[in-house]
Amino acid sequence: MTHRLSVFSAPGRFLRGNLHTHSNLSDGVLDPSEVCRRYRDEGYHFLALTDHFVGVFGYPITDTLPFRTNSFTTILGAEIHSGAMENGELWHILAVGLPKDFTPANAPGFSPVTDQETGPELAARAMEAGAFVAIAHPQWSGLTVSDARSIAAVNAAHAVEIYNHGCATGCDRPDGFAVLDQLLAEGRRLNLIATDDAHFTEPDHFGGWVMVKAEANEPEALLGALKRGDFYSSQGPELRDVVIDGDTIHVEMSACSAMIVSGAGSAAKAVHGHSMTRAAMPLRRFANSPFIRVTVVDAAGKRAWSNPHYF
Ligand SMILES: [Zn+2]
Ligand SMILES: [Zn+2]
């Protein structure tokens, strides 16, 4: 039986976007117009400006509609906060596709207070309001697997942020795979995103993005594709095809030096080579894994990641 990852069979074209960014309406340093200009002029097709939705900043849902052009669009959103994680710190949740009048949480600042929603409750409310929801920067937050389970248990997240470029440049804690792979091994179905989380306070921009397959560069089409999982994530390389044909996986990509398949627990396998644009691998090693996912690595060490495939 042959199965092609839906992102490669879905109609439309690939559109490059960053889903996590801040402006000076919260703790970023640039005006929303300049943030949008920079992403537009770097060749991005779309941007979600996701300022911190807390009281100290007046609960901003930054209006980026004036900065749309014929070739560049924006999705309204915010990084939303409420409730304490196991370590006592405030939840950070990415919500892309929020209505302008989304009701604020009782979140005055960056410390949890009593009488506020839990993180999972706020995430569920954002999802009901139409947002694509992701658990932000797990490694930077010190998020535990049990924190992540609490949001997955109520199906209040579409994805985990597995690479956060700001956390890479600012504190060398970019990872979300430790948490995501554990949830996937437990049978949860979540996708993965790479983002910038740019504040423009350091070289925290243009380092991680999503490539969304959509029929139009419009917010609703992009959001639909994000929610369906019709995208992959990248720091540079392109993923061009992923096909599971019986017990073999076939991957096509821009020139890379490694293709890695990861599954549950210790299940993982790599193919190395020079300027490979295609690679294949038997899947026997993954016979006991409920999922696999693909990573490709180019000669500069930059990666691209597929969403999971479930058996
Ligand atoms: Zn955050
Ligand atoms: Zn952020």
Side-chain angles (χ1 to χ4, degrees), residues 132-174:
F132 171 81
V133 176
I135 300 172
H137 45 59
Q139 189 184 19
W140 179 80
S141 290
L143 189 97
T144 66
V145 173
S146 119
D147 287 323
R149 279 185 195 122
S150 74
I151 202 165
V154 292
N155 295 312
H158 296 96
V160 174
E161 199 176 59
I162 53 79
Y163 177 74
N164 179 304
H165 190 59
C167 293
T169 53
C171 65
D172 198 24
R173 286 179 169 171

Coordinates of all heavy atoms in Angstrom, one line a residue, residues 132-174:
F132 N -5.4 28.1 15.2 CA -4.4 27.0 15.1 C -3.5 27.2 16.4 O -2.9 28.3 16.6 CB -3.6 27.1 13.8 CG -2.4 26.2 13.8 CD1 -2.5 24.9 13.4 CD2 -1.1 26.7 14.1 CE1 -1.5 24.0 13.3 CE2 0.0 25.8 14.0 CZ -0.2 24.5 13.6
V133 N -3.5 26.2 17.2 CA -2.9 26.3 18.6 C -1.6 25.4 18.7 O -1.7 24.3 18.3 CB -3.9 25.9 19.7 CG1 -3.2 26.0 21.0 CG2 -5.1 26.9 19.6
A134 N -0.6 26.0 19.2 CA 0.7 25.2 19.4 C 1.2 25.5 20.8 O 1.2 26.6 21.3 CB 1.7 25.6 18.3
I135 N 1.8 24.5 21.4 CA 2.6 24.6 22.6 C 3.9 25.3 22.3 O 4.7 24.7 21.5 CB 2.8 23.2 23.2 CG1 1.5 22.5 23.5 CG2 3.7 23.3 24.5 CD1 1.6 21.0 24.0
A136 N 4.1 26.4 22.9 CA 5.3 27.2 22.5 C 6.6 26.7 23.3 O 6.4 26.3 24.4 CB 5.1 28.7 22.8
H137 N 7.7 26.8 22.6 CA 9.1 26.6 23.2 C 9.1 25.8 24.5 O 9.5 26.3 25.5 CB 9.7 28.0 23.4 CG 8.9 29.0 24.1 ND1 8.3 28.8 25.3 CD2 8.5 30.2 23.7 CE1 7.6 29.9 25.7 NE2 7.7 30.8 24.7
P138 N 8.8 24.4 24.4 CA 8.8 23.6 25.6 C 10.1 23.6 26.4 O 10.1 23.6 27.6 CB 8.5 22.2 25.0 CG 7.9 22.4 23.7 CD 8.5 23.7 23.2
Q139 N 11.2 23.5 25.6 CA 12.5 23.4 26.3 C 12.8 24.7 27.1 O 13.3 24.7 28.2 CB 13.7 23.1 25.4 CG 15.0 22.7 26.1 CD 16.1 22.5 25.1 OE1 16.0 22.9 23.9 NE2 17.1 21.9 25.6
W140 N 12.6 25.9 26.5 CA 12.9 27.1 27.1 C 12.0 27.3 28.4 O 12.4 27.8 29.4 CB 12.6 28.3 26.2 CG 12.9 29.6 26.8 CD1 14.1 30.3 27.0 CD2 11.8 30.5 27.3 NE1 13.9 31.5 27.6 CE2 12.5 31.7 27.8 CE3 10.5 30.5 27.4 CZ2 11.8 32.7 28.4 CZ3 9.8 31.5 28.0 CH2 10.5 32.6 28.5
S141 N 10.7 26.9 28.2 CA 9.7 27.0 29.3 C 10.0 26.1 30.5 O 9.6 26.4 31.6 CB 8.3 26.7 28.9 OG 7.8 27.7 28.0
G142 N 10.8 25.0 30.2 CA 10.9 24.0 31.3 C 9.6 23.2 31.4 O 9.2 22.6 32.4
L143 N 8.9 23.1 30.2 CA 7.6 22.4 30.2 C 7.9 20.9 30.4 O 8.8 20.3 29.8 CB 7.0 22.6 28.8 CG 5.6 22.1 28.6 CD1 4.6 23.2 28.8 CD2 5.4 21.5 27.2
T144 N 7.1 20.2 31.2 CA 7.2 18.8 31.5 C 6.3 18.0 30.5 O 5.4 18.6 30.0 CB 6.9 18.4 32.9 OG1 5.5 18.7 33.1 CG2 7.7 19.2 33.9
V145 N 6.6 16.7 30.4 CA 5.7 15.9 29.6 C 4.3 15.9 30.2 O 3.3 15.8 29.5 CB 6.3 14.4 29.6 CG1 5.3 13.5 28.9 CG2 7.6 14.4 28.8
S146 N 4.2 15.9 31.5 CA 2.9 15.9 32.1 C 2.1 17.2 31.8 O 0.9 17.2 31.6 CB 3.0 15.6 33.6 OG 2.5 16.6 34.4
D147 N 2.9 18.4 31.8 CA 2.2 19.6 31.3 C 1.7 19.4 29.9 O 0.5 19.8 29.6 CB 3.3 20.8 31.2 CG 3.7 21.3 32.6 OD1 2.8 21.4 33.5 OD2 4.9 21.7 32.7
A148 N 2.5 18.8 29.0 CA 2.1 18.6 27.6 C 0.9 17.7 27.5 O 0.0 17.9 26.8 CB 3.3 18.1 26.8
R149 N 0.9 16.6 28.4 CA -0.2 15.7 28.4 C -1.5 16.4 28.8 O -2.6 16.1 28.3 CB 0.0 14.6 29.4 CG 1.0 13.5 28.9 CD 1.0 12.4 30.0 NE 2.1 11.5 29.7 CZ 3.1 11.3 30.6 NH1 3.2 11.8 31.8 NH2 4.1 10.5 30.2
S150 N -1.4 17.4 29.7 CA -2.6 18.0 30.2 C -3.3 18.8 29.1 O -4.5 19.0 29.1 CB -2.3 18.9 31.4 OG -1.6 20.1 31.0
I151 N -2.6 19.3 28.1 CA -3.2 20.0 27.0 C -3.6 19.1 25.9 O -4.6 19.3 25.3 CB -2.2 21.2 26.5 CG1 -2.9 22.3 25.8 CG2 -1.1 20.7 25.7 CD1 -2.1 23.5 25.6
A152 N -2.8 18.0 25.7 CA -3.2 17.0 24.7 C -4.4 16.2 25.1 O -5.2 15.9 24.2 CB -2.0 16.1 24.4
A153 N -4.5 16.0 26.4 CA -5.7 15.2 26.9 C -7.0 15.8 26.6 O -8.0 15.1 26.4 CB -5.5 15.0 28.4
V154 N -7.0 17.2 26.4 CA -8.3 17.8 26.1 C -8.3 18.3 24.6 O -9.1 19.1 24.2 CB -8.6 19.0 27.1 CG1 -8.9 18.5 28.5 CG2 -7.5 20.0 27.1
N155 N -7.4 17.7 23.8 CA -7.3 18.0 22.4 C -7.2 19.5 22.2 O -7.9 20.0 21.3 CB -8.4 17.4 21.6 CG -8.4 15.9 21.7 OD1 -7.3 15.3 21.5 ND2 -9.5 15.2 22.0
A156 N -6.4 20.3 22.9 CA -6.4 21.7 22.8 C -5.2 22.3 22.1 O -4.9 23.5 22.2 CB -6.6 22.3 24.2
A157 N -4.4 21.4 21.5 CA -3.3 21.9 20.7 C -3.2 21.1 19.4 O -3.5 19.9 19.3 CB -2.0 21.7 21.4
H158 N -2.9 21.8 18.3 CA -2.7 21.2 17.0 C -1.2 20.8 16.8 O -0.9 19.9 16.0 CB -3.0 22.2 15.8 CG -4.4 22.6 15.8 ND1 -4.9 23.8 16.3 CD2 -5.5 22.0 15.2 CE1 -6.2 23.9 16.1 NE2 -6.6 22.8 15.4
A159 N -0.3 21.4 17.5 CA 1.1 21.2 17.2 C 2.0 21.6 18.4 O 1.5 22.2 19.4 CB 1.5 22.1 16.0
V160 N 3.2 21.1 18.4 CA 4.3 21.5 19.3 C 5.3 22.3 18.5 O 5.7 21.9 17.4 CB 4.9 20.3 20.0 CG1 6.1 20.7 20.9 CG2 3.8 19.6 20.8
E161 N 5.8 23.4 19.1 CA 6.9 24.1 18.5 C 8.2 23.4 18.8 O 8.7 23.3 19.9 CB 7.0 25.5 19.2 CG 7.7 26.6 18.4 CD 7.6 27.9 19.1 OE1 8.0 28.0 20.3 OE2 7.1 28.9 18.5
I162 N 8.7 22.7 17.7 CA 9.9 21.9 17.9 C 11.2 22.6 17.6 O 12.3 22.1 18.0 CB 9.8 20.6 17.0 CG1 9.6 21.0 15.6 CG2 8.7 19.7 17.6 CD1 10.7 21.4 14.8
Y163 N 11.2 23.8 17.0 CA 12.3 24.6 16.9 C 11.9 26.0 17.0 O 11.1 26.5 16.2 CB 13.1 24.4 15.5 CG 14.2 25.3 15.4 CD1 15.4 25.0 16.1 CD2 14.2 26.4 14.6 CE1 16.5 25.9 16.0 CE2 15.3 27.3 14.5 CZ 16.4 27.0 15.2 OH 17.5 27.9 15.1
N164 N 12.5 26.7 18.0 CA 12.2 28.2 18.2 C 13.6 28.9 18.0 O 14.5 28.7 18.8 CB 11.7 28.3 19.6 CG 11.4 29.8 20.0 OD1 12.2 30.6 19.9 ND2 10.1 30.0 20.4
H165 N 13.6 29.7 17.0 CA 14.9 30.3 16.6 C 15.4 31.3 17.6 O 16.6 31.4 17.9 CB 14.8 30.9 15.2 CG 16.1 31.4 14.6 ND1 17.1 30.5 14.4 CD2 16.6 32.6 14.2 CE1 18.2 31.2 13.9 NE2 17.8 32.4 13.8
G166 N 14.5 32.0 18.2 CA 14.9 33.0 19.3 C 15.5 32.3 20.5 O 16.4 32.7 21.1
C167 N 14.9 31.1 20.8 CA 15.4 30.3 22.0 C 16.7 29.7 21.6 O 17.6 29.4 22.5 CB 14.4 29.3 22.4 SG 12.9 29.9 23.1
A168 N 16.9 29.4 20.3 CA 18.3 28.9 19.9 C 19.3 30.0 20.0 O 20.4 29.7 20.6 CB 18.2 28.4 18.4
T169 N 19.0 31.2 19.5 CA 20.1 32.2 19.6 C 20.2 32.8 20.9 O 21.3 33.3 21.3 CB 19.8 33.3 18.5 OG1 18.5 33.8 18.7 CG2 19.9 32.8 17.1
G170 N 19.1 32.9 21.7 CA 19.2 33.6 23.0 C 19.6 32.7 24.2 O 20.1 33.3 25.2
C171 N 19.3 31.4 24.1 CA 19.7 30.6 25.3 C 20.0 29.1 25.0 O 20.1 28.3 25.9 CB 18.6 30.7 26.3 SG 17.0 30.0 25.8
D172 N 20.2 28.8 23.7 CA 20.5 27.5 23.3 C 19.6 26.4 23.8 O 19.9 25.3 24.2 CB 22.0 27.1 23.8 CG 22.6 25.9 23.0 OD1 22.1 25.6 21.9 OD2 23.5 25.3 23.6
R173 N 18.3 26.8 23.8 CA 17.2 25.8 24.2 C 16.1 25.9 23.2 O 15.0 26.3 23.5 CB 16.7 26.2 25.6 CG 17.6 25.9 26.7 CD 17.0 26.3 28.0 NE 17.8 25.7 29.1 CZ 17.6 26.1 30.4 NH1 16.6 26.9 30.7 NH2 18.3 25.5 31.4
P174 N 16.4 25.4 22.0 CA 15.4 25.5 20.9 C 14.4 24.4 20.8 O 13.4 24.4 20.0 CB 16.3 25.5 19.6 CG 17.4 24.6 20.0 CD 17.7 24.9 21.5

